[in-house]
């Protein structure tokens, strides 16, 4: 092994499908990994490089600490050397609940607070007085959440009845309440509620607690009276909802509403903090502005006291704008951001960090980005590199591939037909190479000249969710509509929040994880497992349940998982192979049962292609048509390389979306909504995806696809372009019509992208 510390060295990497991969990755450069989906990019970048960086981090702990950590196996490789500390910037959603916002996640809020503590008028105190995460700064009424639970009292009372007739309908305590309210002596129990005066109704609903003597069965009892809403609030709202039984929570939930906090009106801060202003604006007003507007305001700040801080702040806000997120406000909760937005927010944070010599790893950073914004992504990646960091990027977008210093093309195909490095070098050299990536880089799908004719239309009327400006538009049915526009223009708001809920039969095929159990696999998800179990059971005359991961046939050490998971409180959890079954997941006696010579574990180790060959080419094939159909559907969506037993939680978002597509492929008469289906797809796979979508449409379905990929836009029958820009500058329909017309539209950023103007 060389001692050249200017390169990360990898020798003989064998994770998953990798075939003895050797690599020298230059440090302080941008190295881009590309190749067809399933070729082994993640196996190199995540399962080998990032995994080893984490393991080495563990090695740095003292022996004492390490005793509490699981033994993380070394990735399968002969050597991995010269690694730096790794930071993965992926599309996992930013959690953090209501206290995490764009401003906290980017570390911009602390700068803003510092600014207020220095130059705000009147002077309030230290910067923590401006933090809604600090007891000193938070609004005391809502504890800095900005929202308060309230009661939605509709349905609490039946106005046509009297108390004696049971007018109180509050769930959970209606029976006792009717008796109590009647016994209080405060009301005429036979008077219908509709005849109550306002005072009587207020007493019934809102009265604060007061003692009274109640008569029950002739005895006087000391009791406490309070209004229904007061009582409900005390019982269910001023308590932690989680302490209530699930059944009670379910009964109570429909009567709870979230509304802005009455004291801070949603601003989350104490009254003192809100009273402190700079040029007439308090900190909450600033965090509510879109970053596009906040940036010029900060730049305009003059005065010696504020200038240096304002400069740092402006620089950081500039990163938010540069990465195409200027339409967000700092007070936006991070749990409402999409995967692509979350990833870019993490990027802003790292751009502001002063760490150097870090290994940054990006997973498809172009997701959710319009072609207009992709070049700005390149600028930021270079900035990160120029601070002295090593940047690794897994990506398919030709415009991102272009900006790399060094490209590693993995292939030649997927699964067992991949796993080798087929090209290493510069973009210019890649263009001349014969690899799939090289061939496709300058190819494009043709603009559709003769679009399909719509069968009808699906109306959207007066949509005003988020930034939508009273949008009324028709989506043609029976054709492929592609919805376009820059990030933040309103595509998701229009399609996911308005179109889908109001369109009968609309099926969303998104990238969210499939399967909730860690035992789920492509085989269980598609139903192939059920078919296999049944065949194995018939062939051996035993019970089919024996072949289930959660039966007594499963390995008892790992409960059928094949691996053991260890949760680490302060680091990412780790998994280690099960030493009892060696990943086979079943007990030895179960593995004795064979179907055509193979055990259940043998089948689960096959890829879709291999399973089709093994099960489809012998005399048993005739009777297992349904099973073969399911396998063919997976092959048709480009998942031929997937292993049947691969845990679903190791699938990427794009793979999850395609496996959902596979299970929908043979249904008819629906409206399918797909959100960026090209995620994770190599250019050479996109024509395959378009064939599948075309088939869905030709079978009588309607397809609505949110997409930035120009090949997909060119293949549309109809394009709905939103914009003109993001956030408050978006939310309108800029264009609707066939792609040949969009090409001519001057004020459409998507039209400009089609013309190759970016
Ligand atoms: P890419 O990142 O290029 O899409 P991957 O590295 O994810 O490809 O996958 C390469 C191959 O390894 C594929 O055949 C995939 O099915 C397989 N693979 C990936 N992860 C696992 C896993 N955890 N278990 C089994 N097979 C896996
Ligand atoms: P696109 O899908 O085109 O990227 P979105 O529909 O996600 O755009 O966003 C449109 C606008 O609505 C943006 O200004 C965005 O910040 C805002 N928005 C989206 N979701 C939320 C939300 N949950 N809360 C507040 N604003 C939102
Ligand atoms: Zn409040
Ligand atoms: Zn086991």
């Amino acid at each position: 092994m060389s001692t050249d510390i200017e390169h990360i060295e990898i020798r003989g990497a064998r994770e998953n499908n990798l075939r003895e991969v050797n690599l020298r990755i230059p440090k302080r450069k941008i190295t881009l990994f590309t190749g067809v989906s399933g070729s082994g990019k993640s196996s190199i970048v995540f399962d080998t490089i990032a995994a080893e960086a984490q393991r080495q981090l563990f090695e740095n702990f003292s022996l004492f600490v390490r005793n509490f950590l699981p033994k993380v196996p070394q990735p399968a490789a002969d050597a991995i050397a010269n690694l730096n500390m790794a930071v993965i910037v992926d599309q996992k959603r930013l959690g953090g609940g209501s206290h995490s916002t764009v401003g906290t996640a980017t570390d911009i809020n602390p700068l803003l607070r510092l600014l207020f503590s220095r130059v705000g008028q009147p002077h309030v105190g230290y910067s923590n007085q401006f933090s809604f995460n600090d007891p000193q700064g938070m609004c005391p009424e809502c504890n800095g959440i900005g929202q308060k639970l309230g009661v939605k009292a509709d349905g609490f009372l039946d106005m046509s009845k009297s108390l004696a007739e049971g007018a109180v309908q509050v769930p959970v305590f209606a029976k006792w309440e009717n008796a109590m309210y009647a016994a209080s002596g405060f009301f005429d129990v036979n008077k219908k509620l509709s005849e109550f005066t306002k005072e009587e109704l207020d007493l019934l609903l809102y009265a604060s607690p007061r003692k009274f003597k109640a008569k029950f069965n002739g005895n006087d009892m000391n009791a406490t009276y309070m209004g229904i809403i007061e009582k409900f609030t005390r019982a269910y709202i001023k308590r932690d909802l989680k302490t209530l039984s699930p059944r009670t929570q379910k009964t109570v939930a429909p009567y709870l509403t979230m509304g802005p906090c009455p004291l801070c009106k949603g601003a989350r801060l104490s009254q003192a903090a809100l009273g402190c202003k700079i040029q007439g604006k308090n900190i909450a007003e600033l965090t509510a502005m879109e970053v596009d507007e906040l940036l010029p305001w900060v730049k305009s700040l003059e005065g010696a006291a504020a200038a240096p801080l304002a400069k740092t702040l402006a620089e950081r806000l500039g990163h938010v704008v540069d990465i195409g997120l200027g339409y967000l406000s700092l007070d936006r909760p991070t749990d409402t951001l999409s995967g692509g937005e979350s990833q870019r927010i993490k990027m802003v944070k790292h751009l502001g960090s002063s760490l150097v010599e870090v290994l940054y790893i990006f997973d498809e950073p172009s997701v959710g980005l319009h072609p207009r914004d992709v070049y700005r992504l390149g600028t930021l990646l270079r900035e990160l590199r120029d601070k002295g960091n090593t940047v690794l990027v897994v990506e398919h977008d030709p415009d991102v591939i272009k900006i790399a210093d060094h490209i590693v093309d993995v292939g030649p195909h997927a699964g067992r037909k991949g796993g080798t490095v087929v090209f290493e070098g510069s973009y210019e050299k890649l263009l001349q190479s014969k690899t799939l990536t090289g061939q496709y880089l300058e190819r494009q799908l043709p603009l559709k000249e003769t679009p399909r004719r719509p069968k009808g239309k699906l109306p959207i009327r007066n949509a005003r969710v988020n930034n939508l400006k009273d949008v009324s538009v028709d989506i043609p049915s029976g054709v492929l509509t592609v919805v376009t526009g820059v990030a933040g223009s309103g595509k998701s708001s229009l399609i996911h929040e308005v179109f889908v809920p109001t369109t009968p039969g609309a099926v969303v095929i998104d990238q969210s994880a499939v399967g909730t159990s860690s035992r789920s696999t492509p085989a269980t998800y598609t139903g192939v497992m059920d078919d296999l179990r049944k065949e194995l059971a018939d062939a051996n005359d035993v019970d089919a349940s024996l072949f289930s991961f959660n039966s007594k046939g499963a390995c008892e050490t790992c409960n059928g998982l094949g691996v053991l998971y260890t949760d680490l409180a302060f680091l990412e959890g780790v998994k280690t192979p099960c030493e009892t079954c060696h990943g086979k997941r079943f007990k030895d006696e179960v593995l004795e049962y064979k179907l055509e010579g193979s055990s259940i574990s043998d089948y689960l180790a096959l890829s879709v292609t291999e399973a089709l060959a093994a099960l489809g080419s012998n005399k048993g094939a005739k009777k297992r048509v349904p099973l073969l159909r399911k396998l063919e559907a997976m092959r048709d969506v480009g998942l031929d390389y997937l292993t049947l037993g691969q845990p679903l939680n190791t699938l990427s978002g794009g793979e999850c979306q395609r496996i959902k597509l596979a299970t929908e492929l043979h249904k008819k008469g629906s409206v399918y909504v797909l959100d960026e289906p090209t995620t994770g797809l190599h250019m050479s796979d996109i024509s395959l995806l378009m064939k599948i979508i075309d088939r869905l449409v030709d079978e009588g379905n309607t397809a609505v696809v949110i997409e930035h990929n120009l090949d997909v836009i060119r293949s549309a029958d109809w394009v709905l372009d939103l914009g003109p820009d993001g956030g408050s500058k978006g939310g309108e329909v800029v264009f609707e019509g066939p792609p040949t017309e969009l090409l001519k539209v001057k004020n459409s950023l998507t039209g400009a992208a089609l013309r190759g103007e970016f």
Side-chain angles (χ1 to χ4, degrees):
M1 195 91 190
S2 91
T3 52
D4 166 18
I5 55 163
E6 287 305 306
H7 289 84
I8 294 170
E9 301 258 3
I10 297 167
R11 291 271 166 274
R14 295 179 298 274
E15 280 293 324
N16 299 322
N17 69 335
L18 299 183
R19 287 190 278 174
E20 305 281 338
V21 165
N22 300 326
L23 270 179
R24 288 179 83 225
I25 301 168
K27 289 199 177 179
R28 290 179 220 94
K29 298 266 190 261
I30 302 171
T31 297
L32 191 135
F33 291 78
T34 188
V36 296
S37 156
S39 59
K41 301 178 294 295
S42 314
S43 302
I44 297 177
V45 175
F46 294 99
D47 300 338
T48 306
I49 298 176
E52 175 63 7
Q54 187 195 37
R55 196 190 66 87
Q56 290 184 3
L57 185 69
F58 281 12
E59 297 279 297
N60 285 328
F61 293 131
S62 70
L63 205 57
F64 177 75
V65 172
R66 266 188 283 159
N67 278 333
F68 297 97
L69 296 172
K71 284 228 170 347
V72 186
Q74 217 156 352
D78 296 337
I80 308 168
N82 302 335
L83 284 181
N84 298 59
M85 188 186 91
V87 173
I88 299 176
V89 188
D90 59 14
Q91 288 157 34
K92 277 199 199 117
R93 308 286 168 109
L94 287 152
S98 55
H99 281 282
S100 172
T101 64
V102 167
T104 62
T106 52
D107 288 342
I108 290 177
N109 276 16
L111 292 171
L112 209 50
R113 292 202 297 269
L114 209 55
L115 190 70
F116 269 83
S117 70
R118 297 258 170 90
V119 297
Q121 292 296 330
H123 209 72
V124 169
Y126 294 114
S127 72
N128 62 338
Q129 309 268 12
F130 296 95
S131 166
F132 56 80
N133 282 330
D134 190 299
Q136 299 275 328
M138 64 174 57
C139 165
E141 181 72 22
C142 61
N143 295 327
I145 293 169
Q147 302 255 309
K148 271 206 86 176
L149 267 182
V151 188
K152 188 163 59 185
D154 336 342
F156 272 17
L157 302 176
D158 182 343
M159 302 299 283
S160 71
K161 287 187 175 154
S162 67
L163 287 173
E165 290 165 337
V168 178
Q169 314 258 312
V170 188
V172 196
F173 54 62
K175 193 167 168 207
W176 158 247
E177 289 324 273
N178 273 303
M180 207 265 281
Y181 287 97
S184 69
F186 297 153
F187 307 100
D188 174 352
V189 297
N190 295 314
K191 192 166 159 185
K192 299 214 183 303
L193 295 197
S194 55
E195 289 160 18
F196 268 34
T197 63
K198 182 169 184 306
E199 286 70 33
E200 284 171 324
L201 265 183
D202 279 353
L203 187 65
L204 182 62
L205 285 172
Y206 303 110
S208 50
R210 56 199 66 184
K211 300 253 183 279
F212 72 100
K213 291 244 187 290
K215 280 202 192 316
F216 280 112
N217 305 326
N219 299 319
D220 271 357
M221 273 172 59
N222 283 327
T224 302
Y225 173 84
M226 67 182 106
I228 297 168
I229 290 186
E230 177 73 18
K231 173 145 189 166
F232 196 85
T233 306
R234 283 167 185 251
Y236 302 118
I237 292 183
K238 297 209 168 143
R239 282 175 54 182
D240 185 354
L241 279 182
K242 287 185 216 90
T243 63
L244 303 173
S245 77
R247 216 175 114 211
T248 309
Q249 284 184 36
K250 219 172 143 191
T251 329
V252 170
Y255 298 93
L256 302 181
T257 55
M258 262 299 197
C261 163
L263 183 60
C264 65
K265 312 271 184 298
R268 300 174 159 221
L269 289 165
S270 72
Q271 295 300 299
L274 293 175
C276 177
K277 300 196 172 172
I278 300 176
Q279 292 189 1
K281 293 214 185 286
N282 70 27
I283 194 166
E285 288 166 324
L286 294 180
T287 54
M289 281 160 80
E290 287 181 8
V291 172
D292 274 333
E293 261 101 60
L294 179 59
L295 178 58
W297 186 89
V298 168
K299 279 187 174 160
S300 76
L301 285 185
E302 284 159 35
L309 247 179
K311 188 164 171 281
T312 316
L313 191 55
E315 197 176 280
R316 202 69 73 82
L317 291 167
H319 286 149
V320 178
V321 174
D322 285 344
I323 207 150
L325 293 178
Y327 59 90
L328 295 178
S329 56
L330 295 180
D331 66 3
R332 176 77 170 272
T334 48
D335 56 10
T336 66
L337 300 178
S338 70
E341 287 170 332
S342 306
Q343 186 182 36
R344 277 172 271 145
I345 286 293
K346 291 178 203 169
M347 196 168 169
V348 171
K349 183 189 168 109
H350 292 300
L351 280 164
S353 130
S354 50
L355 286 176
V356 293
E357 295 282 336
V358 174
L359 175 62
Y360 283 108
I361 301 179
F362 289 88
D363 192 6
E364 247 189 312
S366 75
V367 166
L369 269 191
H370 192 270
R372 182 201 58 181
D373 295 321
V374 168
Y375 85 94
R376 302 204 258 187
L377 175 74
T379 312
L380 293 189
L381 290 175
R382 288 197 195 99
E383 205 172 305
L384 209 51
R385 171 197 67 190
D386 295 341
K387 286 172 73 176
N389 300 299
T390 303
V391 180
L392 307 187
V393 185
V394 178
E395 181 62 79
H396 302 286
D397 187 314
D399 291 328
V400 184
I401 299 181
K402 233 177 255 174
I403 59 134
D405 300 312
H406 186 71
I407 298 163
V408 177
D409 195 8
V410 188
H413 298 282
R416 257 150 247 180
K417 293 203 217 97
T420 58
V421 171
V422 291
F423 170 86
E424 267 187 281
S426 67
Y427 182 76
E428 290 69 30
K429 291 227 180 74
L430 178 62
L431 279 182
Q432 291 150 20
S433 82
K434 298 232 153 37
T435 69
L436 269 180
T437 311
Q439 290 175 33
Y440 272 83
L441 267 176
E442 302 216 309
R443 246 189 239 181
Q444 55 182 50
L445 291 182
L447 195 68
K448 192 178 257 176
E449 296 287 347
T450 43
R452 294 182 185 86
R453 293 186 162 218
K455 296 210 186 97
K457 46 192 171 185
L458 304 164
I460 298 175
R461 290 293 170 263
N462 305 100
R464 286 183 293 265
V465 174
N466 294 326
N467 71 336
L468 298 176
K469 304 206 173 103
D470 206 24
V471 171
S472 294
V473 68
D474 293 324
I475 305 263
S477 61
V479 304
L480 163 60
T481 297
V482 177
V483 182
T484 57
V486 295
S489 58
K491 302 180 296 295
S492 321
S493 305
L494 186 72
I495 299 305
H496 291 297
E497 295 188 47
V498 183
F499 179 70
V500 172
T502 56
T503 305
V507 181
V508 179
I509 304 181
D510 61 10
Q511 289 164 29
S512 58
V514 278
T516 45
S517 150
S518 41
R519 292 192 191 84
S520 310
T521 64
T524 58
Y525 185 79
T526 56
V528 164
M529 187 74 175
D530 292 334
D531 297 337
L532 269 179
R533 280 167 44 195
K534 209 165 153 297
E535 282 208 47
L536 270 155
D538 288 349
N540 295 285
D541 207 12
V542 289
D543 197 61
S545 69
L546 212 53
F547 305 102
S548 158
F549 296 136
N550 36 22
S551 75
K552 55 184 192 308
C555 167
E556 281 169 3
T557 310
C558 61
N559 291 318
L561 287 171
V563 288
L564 299 172
Y565 288 93
T566 315
D567 271 332
L568 299 177
F570 52 101
L571 291 167
E572 291 229 339
V574 291
K575 60 178 199 232
T576 41
C578 172
E579 287 178 3
T580 310
C581 65
H582 302 286
K584 289 195 181 298
R585 301 166 156 227
F586 290 94
K587 289 182 182 156
D588 284 345
E589 57 260 41
V590 175
L591 300 178
E592 294 295 310
Y593 298 119
K594 304 274 163 81
L595 172 68
E596 291 162 14
S598 300
S599 72
I600 183 77
S601 289
D602 295 334
Y603 283 112
L604 290 173
L606 298 181
S607 70
V608 170
T609 312
E610 291 163 340
L612 268 170
L615 293 162
S617 64
N618 57 39
K619 53 188 185 320
K622 255 201 207 106
K623 66 173 197 282
R624 57 173 77 105
V625 171
L627 188 159
L628 295 173
R629 271 283 136 75
K630 290 167 195 157
L631 291 171
E632 282 160 8
M634 277 197 276
R635 179 195 64 196
D636 291 349
V637 296
L639 293 177
D640 48 340
Y641 59 88
L642 219 57
T643 310
L644 292 185
Q646 184 174 335
L648 285 187
N649 57 16
T650 64
L651 261 53
S652 68
E655 287 171 330
C656 289
Q657 189 172 35
R658 275 174 283 143
I659 202 166
K660 289 177 191 171
L661 198 55
T663 58
E664 293 285 340
L665 217 49
H666 297 286
K667 300 181 188 165
K668 283 184 185 150
S670 290
V671 178
Y672 289 103
V673 172
L674 288 93
D675 202 341
E676 258 194 295
T678 63
T679 306
L681 277 189
H682 186 259
M683 293 162 279
S684 64
D685 295 328
I686 289 174
S687 50
L688 175 72
L689 174 78
M690 291 323 295
K691 281 200 192 104
I692 299 158
I693 295 176
D694 275 336
R695 206 162 91 199
L696 273 178
V697 176
D698 289 337
E699 282 171 7
N701 299 298
T702 300
V704 179
V705 178
I706 301 177
E707 200 34 274
H708 298 290
N709 182 281
L710 295 172
D711 278 333
V712 176
I713 300 172
R714 279 189 283 263
S715 310
D717 296 309
W718 191 260
V719 181
L720 182 59
D721 190 39
L722 298 183
D725 215 301
S728 58
K729 296 199 254 352
E732 295 172 48
V733 174
V734 174
F735 168 83
E736 47 176 327
T740 43
E741 293 296 315
L742 175 58
L743 197 63
K744 302 173 193 157
V745 181
K746 287 240 154 41
N747 67 337
S748 160
L749 289 167
T750 310
L754 277 182
R755 294 191 293 272
E757 287 175 18
F758 297 113

